[in-house]
Amino acid sequence: MSWHQHFLRWDSEIELENEMRKSLDSIKHDERLLEEHFYKNLEFGTGGMRGEIGVGTNRMNLYTVRKASAGFAQYIENAGEEAKNRGVVIAYDSRHKSPQFALEAAKTLSSYGIKTYLFTELKPTPQLSFAVRELHAFGGIVITASHNPPEYNGYKVYGMDGGQLPPKSADELISYVNGIENELKIKVKEKEKLKKEGLLVMLDDTLDEAYNKKLQEVSVSKELSQEAKDNVRVVFTPLHGTAYKSATKAFETLGYKHVHVVAKQAMPDPNFTTVLSPNPEEAEAFSYAIKDGKDVKADVLLATDPDADRVGLAVRKDDGEYTLLTGNQTGALLLKYLLSQLEKSGNLPKNGAVLKTIVTSELGRKIAEDYKLTAIDTLTGFKFIGEKIKQFEQTNDHTFLFGYEESYGYLVRDFCRDKDAIQALILAVEACAFYKQQGKTLCHVMQDIYEEYGYYKENLKSLTLKGKEGSAQIEHLLTSFRAAPPGEVAGLRVKTIEDYQVQKRAHLENGETETMSLPSSNVLKYFLEDGSWFCLRPSGTEPKVKFYFGVVSDTNEESVLKLEQLNNSIMDKVAAILESNEEGIQK
């Protein structure tokens, strides 16, 4: 069906909701806009869906939410009556339309006879993961677009283990969603009727205390005195999202008295008024926290994204200024502290495993191996880390100790099966207090780690290529790298190429290939002769293609230079490919 036919289907719908009708009328004479809103169905991928809020098949709205939920309902029906009775838990963040979309999802599932638990107020994504496990539900949904701009929202699906669905289950769910022919004709019952039928259960704060109790298990130091806790000073900002209540309660329970919350960013705000982007990866997101940090002489600044599954750290330097850590640096700090404390207390299991993604720094592997532990790579996306934890439970081959990804996501204890910023906050503040009583800042500790293991440096570049043309450009870029793989980069030979789409690893020196065990994914990774690497990966949730770079050297200066040369070499090649493609299209 063409975009014009989709538009006509919506335009002729007599019962089209009023807001949707007004939005459609406002763009119906702009053919370019209409095509953008209707040229495809908003893609429901392995992690759910995410997009701009608005009218049309290619936007987040009550009808696309109902379609996703109807597909999920059919997926649950296929699993049987027990699955329907166990039900689904639904949470939402502080974004525009999040409460409405959550209610539409709940009404749709309940209308299929599926028991549905809906939180009455916004909750962090990790708390949704916890609630699925605590209530023994069959699955979960969270309405969020993470750190995307205010005009976005999204829909993420979770399985009975509290993790995002693994590929096989996700593919089955996607087939049900794609099988819904007309999202406008999905009928749902009213909220009050569903509540009376016992199919819709409203959740207040009854699970908050249970989650907070489990959070106390994140603490690992047996030597940390109350005096040390009293001595550490923290500035925390939830960036207008969901973390405020859970985080402050956890700090209070653990006995941290000097946690200063950034007042102007404490309360939920769907417009994220005080920041350009509610993304703890960006230095700008810390501007208010830095000002408050200097006022209270904070040792560490902490910022969580809107749905509180990711956290960024800024640490105080000797001159009183603050430096923002990368996700890889924070992961290394937390991992080193965690393993050192577990070893000291005699609680470090011999079969312990650290999980990281293929684009996460190799420094984590180096630290894990130093403690005689196994480091295992997964595909990008925390669902793969959650899937591995589940495998460990079934096989007992390994004991999960820590999971993380370079994009600021961390998990310490597996009572959640998604990244948990609240857990990471707790471990970061404890580490800060522990090292401070030894006269060290987190800056000093990071330097110690580099001196011990090598100067690992990483970088990420993203190209945003929106719309139909952008998708074609991204596809052309990956095809070009596959068709003509570089043999040399920045003066260094390429030794190995990993193509995750065909699940093959090619060793260029001897021409041998081997099969990789990870699931298929449109990702390319290249390893150079000196241990450097780079990776190309289209984003699964945004109109972007991402380029990851990693190097290691004996000195900071050498690593900085290596990283710059690697980055420039690849991005020059990317620019040439895109320019050549543009010229070909024009001809």
Side-chain angles (χ1 to χ4, degrees), residues 337-379:
Y337 173 71
L338 175 68
L339 299 186
S340 67
Q341 294 304 304
L342 291 176
E343 183 182 59
K344 187 180 294 185
S345 63
N347 292 317
L348 192 65
K350 290 183 178 180
N351 69 340
V354 173
L355 300 173
K356 73 178 195 66
T357 70
I358 59 173
V359 296
T360 299
S361 173
E362 288 298 299
L363 179 53
R365 188 186 316 280
K366 193 81 170 176
I367 294 171
E369 290 174 349
D370 185 38
Y371 285 86
K372 298 180 173 55
L373 302 173
T374 302
I376 299 172
D377 281 350
T378 72
L379 288 179

Side-chain angles (χ1 to χ4, degrees), residues 188-201:
V188 299
K189 297 179 182 179
E190 290 303 311
K191 174 182 174 181
E192 293 306 317
K193 180 175 176 59
L194 292 165
K195 285 170 64 178
K196 286 180 181 177
E197 292 175 359
L199 289 168
L200 179 56
V201 179

Side-chain angles (χ1 to χ4, degrees), residues 481 485-489 492-500 503-516 523-536 566 570:
F481 267 86
E488 185 178 288
V489 177
L492 296 167
R493 285 181 296 111
V494 177
K495 286 186 66 176
T496 306
I497 301 174
E498 293 181 344
D499 188 336
Y500 292 85
Q503 298 168 296
K504 295 289 183 182
R505 179 183 294 112
H507 300 282
L508 303 190
E509 288 183 322
N510 56 22
E512 293 182 359
T513 61
E514 57 186 292
T515 300
M516 297 188 297
V523 179
L524 291 167
K525 189 173 183 180
Y526 301 78
F527 296 87
L528 310 185
E529 60 182 311
D530 70 336
S532 301
W533 59 270
F534 67 95
C535 182
L536 286 72
L566 178 60
I570 294 302

